[in-house]
Amino acid sequence: MNKDNPKIIFDDLINNLNYITSKKELKIINDAYLFAEEVHKGDKRLTGVDYIKHPLNVAYILSEIKADSDTIAAALLHDTIDVGKADKVTIKKQFGDNIYTLVEGVTKINRLKFNGDNESTIANYRKIFVGLTKDVRVIIIKLADRLHNMRTMSVLSKHKQKETSNETLAILTPIAHRLGMNKIKGELEDLSLRYSKPDAYFSIVERLNKTKTERNQYVEEMIENVSDLLNKNGIKHEIKGRAKSIYSIYKKLDKGKKFSDIYDLFALRVFVDKVDECYQAMGLIHSAYKPVPKRYKDYIAMPKNNGYQSLHTTVFGKDGNFFEIQIRTYDMDIVAEHGVASHWSYKEQGKSLMQSAMEEKLQFFRSIMELNKNTNDEEFLSRIKEEVLSTMVYVYTPNGDVIELPIGSTPIDFAYRVHTEVGNKMVGAIVNGNIVTLDYKLNDNDIVKIKTKKDSTPNRDWINMCFTNQAKNKIKAFFNKVDKTEYIKLGEESLIKELRRKKISINDFLTNDNLSKIYNELKIDNTNDLYLNIGNNKYTANQVINIITNEIKSKEEKILEKVIDQEIKEVVSKNDIIVEGIDNIKINIAGCCKPIPGDEIIGYISRGNGINIHRCNCPNISDINERLISVNWNNTINKKYDTNIIVEANDSKDILLNIIAKTSNIDISIQSVNTIHNTDTYIFEINVLTTNIDLLNKFMNDIKNIKNVLNVERVIK
Ligand code: MN
C-alpha cells in the first residue's frame, strides 16, 4: 500500500502484524487503538475523515517495515497528547514507560516548527537532534507520521505544502538517508518535489508517461532475456522492473543533464537467494551484454556506510539503450529498503541491534550536539550543513573498504573513522601512493593508507587539521585522558633531572622537612600530587626547587632574567629528528614555519643540503608532492627550539610586560620582540624558545587571557 487509505480499519493493521506473536503485545496494541479512538472521538482530519485514521495509517506504514509492538502502540498514540488532549500520566500508567517515552518523543518533535527565521531554525535543529539520541524509534515514527501527512497534504494551503516539503527535504530525508531507510526516503522526496516544485514534478511525470509504453516494452523484453539467461544456468531468481524515483531524475536534470541523456531510466533489479549467485548472475549478464565502463560497483564486498549491499552495473541493451541493473539477495533487499529499521527484533545485551546501528550512524549528530555547547549559532549551522546536509566523499582503505566522510575531511578524519587507535598512533598518511600532509583534503576514490607507530600519540594541532567532530572529539578525549600516572612519572623525572642539573643531591632535597615546606607552599599533601603538579606544568621543577633554595626573587628580577636568558641556540641535532630509513643526514629546521617538538612535521629533501623540516600545515610545502619524506621528532629530546608567534592587541600599555610575566611560570623564554603599530592595533612578533608544543600552547593560551589581547597565532612566513 503506497497511498493514504482513509478506509483502513484496525483489522487491516492486525492482519499486517502477523509477525507479532505475543498475545500480550497484541493486547497492548489493541488497547492503544481503543484509547486513541476514544481520545480522538469527534475529531476530523482536514480531509474530512475521522482523526483516528491518521494514527492508524501511521501504524500501518510502520507495520510494513515490521516495527516492534512498542513502536506500533506508540504510533497509534502519537497524537493523543497534543491533538487529543489526553492526560500524560494516564498514558504512562496504562501503557508503561517504554511506550510513553516514544509517544512523548514524537509529541516533542511535533511541537517544533522548523520554518521561520534562522535563529529558531537552528534552535530547533538542536532539539530534534537531542530528541533523536534517546531512541531511534522516535524518529522512525516521526518519518512515518510525516509520510502519511504528506500523502494527505493536497488539502493544505499552497504555502503550507511548500513549507512542509522544504522542511522534509532539509531535515527529514537526510536523516532517513543516514538511517538507510531508502523506501520511505524515496517517497518523501517525491512528495516533497511534487508540492514544492509542482511544475518540475509534473513535467517529469508527463515525460515519463509519454514514453511509458515504449519503456515498459523495453524493460519487459530485457527482463525476459535476462531471466532466460539465468534460468539456463540454473540460478533461481526474480526480476522486477524498477521505477526510477522522480526526485532522482529531477536532481539529474537540475544538474544540467538533458532528459534524453539520463541513461539509467531503464532499470531492473534481480533478486537471488545467495551471495555467490549475485556474482554468478552478474558474470552471466556481462557475458551477454556489454557493460558500461566504470559503472560496475560491488557494494556487497564493500557495503555502503548505512549497510546497503548490492551489485550495480549498467549494460548496453537493445538499440543501444542503457540498462541499470542491481543484483542482490532477498536479505540484502530488506536492509536496502529499510536500513536501520530492518533490525527490529534482534537484541544484544538488552540493547537492540537497531539502537546500536543507529548510534553508530548518528555519531555525528551527537558530536554536533557536543559542539553545540560551546560554539555560536552561526558556526553550529554551518557545521550542520557541512556534516549532515552536504555530500560525502568516498575513499578506500588499502583493503578496499569504503569509508564515507564529509567533503573537507583529511587523513586524520579517515584514521579516526577507521579506528580510534589508528588515529591515536598515526604518524603519516599515504594517498594513492604519495605521502601527503595530514591536512590534505581527501577526494573521491582516494586510496588512503595510514602509517602508524606503536608508541606514537596524537598532536593537539590535529584538532585544527581535521574536519569531522568525531575526530576532533577523539583527539580531545585522548588529551583529557592522558594518564594521571603518566604525568606523575613525567613530573618525577623532570624534578630529578632539574636537581641533577643544579647539582643538588636528590636525597638531600627530598627530606621530610623540605617536603612539608613544599606541600605547604603548593597546598598539597603527598609526593604524587607534587609530581603531578610538575608533570602537568602547573609548576616547573625549578619553581619547586626554588621554594627550598630560597631563590625568591622579585618579579622584576625574574622578568629580567627571562628576557636576558639568551640561551645559545644549538644547531639542530640529527638525533632530534628521526628520518625513516635514513641515518646520518643533515637536518635543517625550516625558517618559514619553525616547527618545535610536538608539531606535526614532514621532511623535504632539498637539493644537496639535507632535509628541511617543515610543519605539516606549512603552505610552503602544501603544493609539493615529490621529495617529501616522513619524519618524526625523537621522543627523548629535551632541547629547546625557537619559533615565532604573533600577538595582536588593541592597546600597547603593559602588554609586553604582561606577556613576559607569563613566561615566569613555564619553561619558555622570549628571545626577541618586534613591535608593529597598525592604525588601530598593535602587533608583537615574538620569537620564543621552548622545548615542546604543549608548553607553547599553554603560553599562547595564557597570553590570550591578557586584557586587550585580541589574537595569538603561530607564524608561518
Ligand atoms: Mn501525526
Side-chain angles (χ1 to χ4, degrees), residues 387-421:
E387 291 213 6
V388 183
L389 307 179
S390 81
T391 38
M392 314 295 273
V393 286
Y394 294 87
V395 297
Y396 298 87
T397 67
N399 296 331
D401 292 331
V402 180
I403 302 279
E404 184 192 48
L405 289 164
I407 284 177
S409 294
T410 65
I412 303 172
D413 298 296
F414 177 91
Y416 279 101
R417 182 63 58 86
V418 170
H419 198 279
T420 307
E421 279 308 289

Short mmCIF file of all heavy atoms in Angstrom, two decimals, residues 387-421:
data_model
loop_
_atom_site.label_atom_id
_atom_site.label_comp_id
_atom_site.label_asym_id
_atom_site.label_seq_id
_atom_site.Cartn_x
_atom_site.Cartn_y
_atom_site.Cartn_z
N GLU A 387 28.18 18.81 7.77
CA GLU A 387 28.26 17.41 8.14
C GLU A 387 27.02 16.61 7.79
O GLU A 387 27.09 15.45 7.51
CB GLU A 387 28.55 17.27 9.64
CG GLU A 387 29.94 17.72 9.96
CD GLU A 387 30.53 16.94 11.09
OE1 GLU A 387 29.90 15.98 11.56
OE2 GLU A 387 31.63 17.28 11.51
N VAL A 388 25.88 17.24 7.83
CA VAL A 388 24.67 16.46 7.61
C VAL A 388 24.14 16.62 6.21
O VAL A 388 23.73 15.67 5.57
CB VAL A 388 23.57 16.87 8.62
CG1 VAL A 388 22.35 16.00 8.45
CG2 VAL A 388 24.11 16.75 10.03
N LEU A 389 24.14 17.85 5.76
CA LEU A 389 23.43 18.09 4.51
C LEU A 389 24.34 18.11 3.29
O LEU A 389 23.87 18.09 2.17
CB LEU A 389 22.66 19.40 4.60
CG LEU A 389 21.73 19.48 5.83
CD1 LEU A 389 21.02 20.81 5.89
CD2 LEU A 389 20.70 18.36 5.82
N SER A 390 25.62 18.15 3.49
CA SER A 390 26.50 18.19 2.33
C SER A 390 26.68 16.78 1.79
O SER A 390 26.33 15.81 2.42
CB SER A 390 27.86 18.75 2.70
OG SER A 390 28.63 17.73 3.28
N THR A 391 27.24 16.73 0.59
CA THR A 391 27.54 15.42 0.04
C THR A 391 28.79 14.88 0.69
O THR A 391 29.50 15.59 1.38
CB THR A 391 27.74 15.51 -1.47
OG1 THR A 391 28.43 16.71 -1.74
CG2 THR A 391 26.41 15.48 -2.18
N MET A 392 29.05 13.64 0.47
CA MET A 392 30.16 12.99 1.14
C MET A 392 31.23 12.62 0.12
O MET A 392 30.97 12.57 -1.07
CB MET A 392 29.67 11.70 1.81
CG MET A 392 28.39 11.84 2.59
SD MET A 392 28.55 12.93 4.00
CE MET A 392 29.11 11.79 5.24
N VAL A 393 32.44 12.37 0.59
CA VAL A 393 33.43 11.75 -0.28
C VAL A 393 33.56 10.29 0.13
O VAL A 393 33.39 9.94 1.29
CB VAL A 393 34.84 12.40 -0.20
CG1 VAL A 393 34.85 13.73 -0.90
CG2 VAL A 393 35.33 12.51 1.22
N TYR A 394 33.84 9.47 -0.87
CA TYR A 394 34.01 8.05 -0.61
C TYR A 394 35.45 7.68 -0.91
O TYR A 394 35.92 7.84 -2.03
CB TYR A 394 33.04 7.23 -1.48
CG TYR A 394 31.62 7.49 -1.09
CD1 TYR A 394 30.90 8.53 -1.64
CD2 TYR A 394 31.01 6.71 -0.11
CE1 TYR A 394 29.59 8.79 -1.24
CE2 TYR A 394 29.71 6.95 0.29
CZ TYR A 394 29.00 8.00 -0.28
OH TYR A 394 27.72 8.26 0.13
N VAL A 395 36.15 7.23 0.10
CA VAL A 395 37.54 6.87 -0.08
C VAL A 395 37.73 5.41 0.36
O VAL A 395 36.82 4.82 0.94
CB VAL A 395 38.47 7.81 0.73
CG1 VAL A 395 38.35 9.23 0.22
CG2 VAL A 395 38.15 7.75 2.20
N TYR A 396 38.88 4.86 0.05
CA TYR A 396 39.09 3.45 0.31
C TYR A 396 40.25 3.21 1.25
O TYR A 396 41.23 3.95 1.25
CB TYR A 396 39.39 2.71 -1.00
CG TYR A 396 38.28 2.78 -2.00
CD1 TYR A 396 38.20 3.85 -2.88
CD2 TYR A 396 37.30 1.80 -2.04
CE1 TYR A 396 37.15 3.93 -3.80
CE2 TYR A 396 36.27 1.87 -2.94
CZ TYR A 396 36.19 2.94 -3.82
OH TYR A 396 35.16 3.01 -4.70
N THR A 397 40.14 2.14 2.03
CA THR A 397 41.29 1.65 2.76
C THR A 397 42.12 0.83 1.78
O THR A 397 41.62 0.47 0.71
CB THR A 397 40.87 0.74 3.93
OG1 THR A 397 40.30 -0.45 3.36
CG2 THR A 397 39.84 1.40 4.82
N PRO A 398 43.38 0.53 2.11
CA PRO A 398 44.19 -0.29 1.20
C PRO A 398 43.52 -1.66 0.94
O PRO A 398 43.77 -2.27 -0.10
CB PRO A 398 45.51 -0.46 1.94
CG PRO A 398 45.58 0.72 2.83
CD PRO A 398 44.17 1.00 3.25
N ASN A 399 42.67 -2.11 1.85
CA ASN A 399 41.97 -3.38 1.63
C ASN A 399 40.73 -3.22 0.77
O ASN A 399 40.03 -4.19 0.50
CB ASN A 399 41.53 -3.99 2.96
CG ASN A 399 42.71 -4.35 3.81
OD1 ASN A 399 43.78 -4.64 3.28
ND2 ASN A 399 42.53 -4.29 5.11
N GLY A 400 40.41 -1.98 0.42
CA GLY A 400 39.27 -1.77 -0.44
C GLY A 400 37.97 -1.48 0.30
O GLY A 400 36.92 -1.39 -0.31
N ASP A 401 38.03 -1.35 1.63
CA ASP A 401 36.81 -0.98 2.34
C ASP A 401 36.49 0.48 2.05
O ASP A 401 37.37 1.33 2.00
CB ASP A 401 36.99 -1.14 3.87
CG ASP A 401 37.12 -2.60 4.24
OD1 ASP A 401 36.55 -3.44 3.52
OD2 ASP A 401 37.80 -2.90 5.23
N VAL A 402 35.21 0.74 1.87
CA VAL A 402 34.80 2.11 1.58
C VAL A 402 34.58 2.86 2.88
O VAL A 402 33.96 2.35 3.81
CB VAL A 402 33.49 2.13 0.78
CG1 VAL A 402 33.07 3.57 0.48
CG2 VAL A 402 33.64 1.37 -0.50
N ILE A 403 35.10 4.05 2.96
CA ILE A 403 34.86 4.90 4.12
C ILE A 403 34.17 6.15 3.62
O ILE A 403 34.63 6.80 2.68
CB ILE A 403 36.19 5.29 4.80
CG1 ILE A 403 36.98 4.04 5.22
CG2 ILE A 403 35.95 6.22 5.98
CD1 ILE A 403 36.57 3.40 6.51
N GLU A 404 33.08 6.49 4.25
CA GLU A 404 32.32 7.65 3.84
C GLU A 404 32.63 8.80 4.79
O GLU A 404 32.55 8.66 6.00
CB GLU A 404 30.83 7.31 3.92
CG GLU A 404 29.92 8.39 3.43
CD GLU A 404 28.46 8.11 3.81
OE1 GLU A 404 28.19 7.79 4.98
OE2 GLU A 404 27.61 8.19 2.93
N LEU A 405 33.02 9.94 4.24
CA LEU A 405 33.37 11.09 5.07
C LEU A 405 32.81 12.36 4.44
O LEU A 405 32.62 12.41 3.22
CB LEU A 405 34.90 11.23 5.15
CG LEU A 405 35.64 10.19 5.97
CD1 LEU A 405 37.12 10.22 5.63
CD2 LEU A 405 35.44 10.44 7.46
N PRO A 406 32.54 13.38 5.26
CA PRO A 406 32.06 14.62 4.65
C PRO A 406 33.18 15.27 3.83
O PRO A 406 34.36 15.11 4.13
CB PRO A 406 31.68 15.49 5.84
CG PRO A 406 32.31 14.87 7.02
CD PRO A 406 32.52 13.42 6.72
N ILE A 407 32.79 16.00 2.80
CA ILE A 407 33.76 16.71 1.98
C ILE A 407 34.54 17.65 2.88
O ILE A 407 33.96 18.32 3.74
CB ILE A 407 33.03 17.49 0.87
CG1 ILE A 407 32.60 16.51 -0.21
CG2 ILE A 407 33.92 18.59 0.29
CD1 ILE A 407 31.80 17.13 -1.32
N GLY A 408 35.86 17.71 2.67
CA GLY A 408 36.70 18.55 3.52
C GLY A 408 37.45 17.73 4.54
O GLY A 408 38.29 18.25 5.26
N SER A 409 37.15 16.43 4.59
CA SER A 409 37.85 15.58 5.56
C SER A 409 39.30 15.35 5.15
O SER A 409 39.65 15.43 3.98
CB SER A 409 37.14 14.23 5.67
OG SER A 409 35.86 14.40 6.22
N THR A 410 40.11 15.06 6.15
CA THR A 410 41.54 14.87 5.93
C THR A 410 41.93 13.45 6.37
O THR A 410 41.10 12.73 6.92
CB THR A 410 42.34 15.89 6.77
OG1 THR A 410 42.12 15.60 8.15
CG2 THR A 410 41.91 17.32 6.48
N PRO A 411 43.20 13.07 6.15
CA PRO A 411 43.61 11.73 6.60
C PRO A 411 43.37 11.51 8.10
O PRO A 411 43.19 10.38 8.54
CB PRO A 411 45.10 11.71 6.28
CG PRO A 411 45.25 12.63 5.13
CD PRO A 411 44.25 13.72 5.36
N ILE A 412 43.35 12.60 8.87
CA ILE A 412 43.11 12.46 10.31
C ILE A 412 41.69 11.95 10.54
O ILE A 412 41.45 11.03 11.33
CB ILE A 412 43.33 13.80 11.04
CG1 ILE A 412 44.74 14.32 10.78
CG2 ILE A 412 43.08 13.65 12.54
CD1 ILE A 412 45.00 15.72 11.30
N ASP A 413 40.73 12.55 9.83
CA ASP A 413 39.34 12.10 9.94
C ASP A 413 39.23 10.63 9.55
O ASP A 413 38.55 9.84 10.18
CB ASP A 413 38.45 12.93 9.02
CG ASP A 413 38.45 14.39 9.40
OD1 ASP A 413 38.00 14.70 10.51
OD2 ASP A 413 38.95 15.22 8.61
N PHE A 414 39.93 10.31 8.45
CA PHE A 414 39.92 8.94 7.95
C PHE A 414 40.44 7.98 9.02
O PHE A 414 39.81 6.98 9.34
CB PHE A 414 40.80 8.87 6.69
CG PHE A 414 40.94 7.49 6.11
CD1 PHE A 414 40.06 7.03 5.15
CD2 PHE A 414 41.96 6.65 6.53
CE1 PHE A 414 40.19 5.76 4.61
CE2 PHE A 414 42.10 5.38 6.01
CZ PHE A 414 41.21 4.93 5.04
N ALA A 415 41.59 8.32 9.59
CA ALA A 415 42.22 7.43 10.57
C ALA A 415 41.30 7.19 11.76
O ALA A 415 41.11 6.07 12.20
CB ALA A 415 43.55 8.03 11.03
N TYR A 416 40.68 8.28 12.25
CA TYR A 416 39.81 8.12 13.41
C TYR A 416 38.52 7.41 13.05
O TYR A 416 37.88 6.79 13.88
CB TYR A 416 39.54 9.46 14.09
CG TYR A 416 40.68 9.85 14.99
CD1 TYR A 416 41.63 10.77 14.60
CD2 TYR A 416 40.82 9.26 16.25
CE1 TYR A 416 42.70 11.11 15.42
CE2 TYR A 416 41.86 9.59 17.08
CZ TYR A 416 42.81 10.51 16.66
OH TYR A 416 43.84 10.83 17.49
N ARG A 417 38.10 7.51 11.79
CA ARG A 417 36.90 6.78 11.38
C ARG A 417 37.19 5.29 11.33
O ARG A 417 36.38 4.47 11.71
CB ARG A 417 36.42 7.29 10.01
CG ARG A 417 35.15 6.62 9.51
CD ARG A 417 33.95 6.87 10.41
NE ARG A 417 33.63 8.26 10.61
CZ ARG A 417 32.87 8.99 9.80
NH1 ARG A 417 32.35 8.47 8.73
NH2 ARG A 417 32.63 10.25 10.08
N VAL A 418 38.40 4.95 10.87
CA VAL A 418 38.77 3.53 10.80
C VAL A 418 38.81 2.93 12.21
O VAL A 418 38.18 1.93 12.49
CB VAL A 418 40.14 3.35 10.11
CG1 VAL A 418 40.63 1.93 10.25
CG2 VAL A 418 40.04 3.73 8.64
N HIS A 419 39.55 3.58 13.09
CA HIS A 419 39.64 3.11 14.46
C HIS A 419 40.33 4.17 15.31
O HIS A 419 41.27 4.80 14.86
CB HIS A 419 40.43 1.80 14.53
CG HIS A 419 40.20 1.05 15.81
ND1 HIS A 419 40.84 1.36 16.97
CD2 HIS A 419 39.35 0.04 16.10
CE1 HIS A 419 40.43 0.55 17.93
NE2 HIS A 419 39.52 -0.25 17.43
N THR A 420 39.86 4.33 16.52
CA THR A 420 40.47 5.32 17.40
C THR A 420 41.97 5.09 17.55
O THR A 420 42.76 6.03 17.52
CB THR A 420 39.82 5.27 18.79
OG1 THR A 420 38.41 5.37 18.61
CG2 THR A 420 40.29 6.41 19.66
N GLU A 421 42.35 3.82 17.66
CA GLU A 421 43.77 3.53 17.86
C GLU A 421 44.60 3.88 16.62
O GLU A 421 45.75 4.28 16.73
CB GLU A 421 43.96 2.06 18.23
CG GLU A 421 43.70 1.79 19.70
CD GLU A 421 44.49 2.73 20.60
OE1 GLU A 421 45.72 2.57 20.68
OE2 GLU A 421 43.89 3.64 21.22
#
